[in-house]
Amino acid sequence: MTTKLALTATGMAMLALTAGALTACGSSGSGGSGAASKKSLELIVGTKSDNFYVTMECGAEQEAKKLGVKLTVTGPATFSIPLQKPLIDAAEVSKPDALIVAPTDAKSLNSDLLKVQQAGTKVVFVDTSSSDMSIGVSRISSDNAAGGKLAADSLGQLIGGKGTVAVISVAKGVSTTDARIQGFEQEMAAKFPGITLLGEQNDNTDSVSIAAQFIEGDISAHPDLNGAFAANVITAQGVASGVDHAGKSGKVKLATFDADPDQMTMLTKGTIQLAIAQEPAVEGADGVQQALNALDGKPVTANIATPLIAITPQNMNSPSVQPFIYKSSCG
């Protein structure tokens, strides 16, 4: 590595992107009660196949158990509007007291979510959210635009402020990844005029193989390509695989989002250089707490921004970083 990151093991560890985020971590509830135990909550995650959402489920289940409320968890096999819609429609029929949901699109599911709300269910958004501000009592997510900016700052320094960078994401219309890309592109343009950004490429199937094809095509078409930004865990895996297949590991610097265990292995091997990590367990716990507050007539926080950190090979083994690494199971 010819350029040393300004954010090192100590300086990069905790990124305080929000004020008071840690005090809103769903731990303010006092244990379960008879009244609480009668309440039913449902969590619909973005997909059951992503360790981000597995970790969110773990946090939500732990909080629900502590507070004595019934929680069921569902989610589509893949991050898909058609697969998630029937689950939301089913919630309109089953009428849980509260629905905690990570919608797979910011607009396409609005009418379905509105019906759930109109049926009397309190709606809380976690991770992703709706473009319709009339839906939901609380929105809980990382500051994804700020995370994109952090990725741009770190990657720009890694490649010495010059070269060509690819940008690869999932389908447009997902609130979180759209914000990450926007933050990344704005920061690159403002801070690193010597870096050329290639046009954003969107993997509409959220596929590792498609993301790999994108980056391999970029490497072939742009011999000066020396950096890439992958906006979620699936694209991170695909881009890392493509760079490795092209024989460019370590030469094309990779800034990624999320902190899947596979990404931690990639950091160790030097396949990727940066992972912007969220804290999905906290989002899940906050979702349960805010839903219960709404049901009990207690104050509800309309917007909660959970912490982000930048994980590098230098700080990944730090105790302060470990809570941000995602789980593959709740055991």
Side-chain angles (χ1 to χ4, degrees):
M1 187 183 300
T2 57
T3 304
K4 185 176 180 181
L5 276 175
L7 300 176
T8 60
T10 55
M12 199 172 189
M14 294 299 298
L15 177 68
L17 291 177
T18 71
L22 293 176
T23 61
C25 291
S27 58
S28 57
S30 55
S33 67
S37 65
K38 297 177 182 178
K39 294 184 173 67
S40 62
L41 278 59
E42 181 173 351
L43 168 62
I44 301 179
V45 297
T47 171
K48 295 284 281 184
S49 62
D50 187 329
N51 287 334
F52 172 91
Y53 288 114
V54 171
T55 310
M56 175 184 286
E57 178 179 344
C58 297
E61 288 180 339
Q62 183 177 4
E63 188 73 2
K65 182 178 180 180
K66 182 178 75 173
L67 298 178
V69 297
K70 178 184 177 182
L71 175 71
T72 59
V73 182
T74 61
T78 60
F79 196 86
S80 161
I81 298 169
L83 292 181
Q84 194 184 50
K85 175 179 164 56
L87 302 177
I88 296 173
D89 293 342
E92 180 192 353
V93 177
S94 63
K95 293 183 172 61
D97 293 309
L99 175 65
I100 306 163
V101 59
T104 53
D105 188 87
K107 296 181 179 179
S108 299
L109 296 164
N110 283 354
S111 61
D112 306 277
L113 291 165
L114 188 59
K115 289 176 183 177
V116 172
Q117 181 169 275
Q118 290 171 339
T121 295
K122 301 293 186 183
V123 176
V124 173
F125 292 112
V126 284
D127 185 38
T128 55
S129 63
S130 166
S131 60
D132 186 342
M133 299 304 295
S134 72
I135 305 174
V137 296
S138 181
R139 294 165 183 246
I140 303 161
S141 182
S142 303
D143 187 338
N144 286 280
K149 290 180 179 180
L150 176 61
D153 286 336
S154 303
L155 183 60
Q157 293 175 50
L158 273 172
I159 63 178
K162 58 185 178 181
T164 302
V165 170
V167 179
I168 299 175
S169 186
V170 294
K172 298 292 287 183
V174 180
S175 60
T176 51
T177 48
D178 284 354
R180 294 167 195 170
I181 296 299
Q182 182 181 39
F184 181 85
E185 292 180 339
Q186 288 178 346
E187 191 76 354
M188 272 292 185
K191 296 281 187 69
F192 302 101
I195 293 176
T196 299
L197 283 184
L198 302 181
E200 177 186 350
Q201 297 175 92
N202 300 100
D203 173 13
N204 295 329
T205 59
D206 206 19
S207 163
V208 170
S209 62
I210 298 299
Q213 291 174 26
F214 282 158
I215 193 66
E216 288 189 57
D218 291 336
I219 290 171
S220 177
H222 303 276
D224 63 338
L225 187 81
N226 57 345
F229 175 50
N232 80 339
V233 64
I234 301 298
T235 53
Q237 292 169 358
V239 169
S241 174
V243 168
D244 184 57
H245 186 258
K248 294 289 186 176
S249 287
K251 297 177 182 178
V252 176
K253 307 297 185 185
L254 301 185
T256 67
F257 228 94
D258 290 312
D260 188 271
D262 286 345
Q263 284 168 274
M264 298 302 99
T265 300
M266 294 174 195
L267 276 173
T268 300
K269 292 181 177 180
T271 310
I272 68 174
Q273 284 69 45
L274 176 72
I276 306 297
Q278 306 175 79
E279 203 166 12
V282 171
E283 291 185 18
D286 278 351
V288 170
Q289 181 64 71
Q290 295 304 311
L292 191 58
N293 285 354
L295 294 172
D296 289 343
K298 296 179 180 179
V300 176
T301 305
N303 293 282
I304 297 176
T306 53
L308 287 169
I309 64 168
I311 304 179
T312 69
Q314 291 76 29
N315 71 3
M316 62 181 294
N317 294 317
S318 169
S320 63
V321 170
Q322 298 309 300
F324 290 83
I325 297 175
Y326 307 164
K327 300 177 180 179
S328 57
S329 70
C330 298

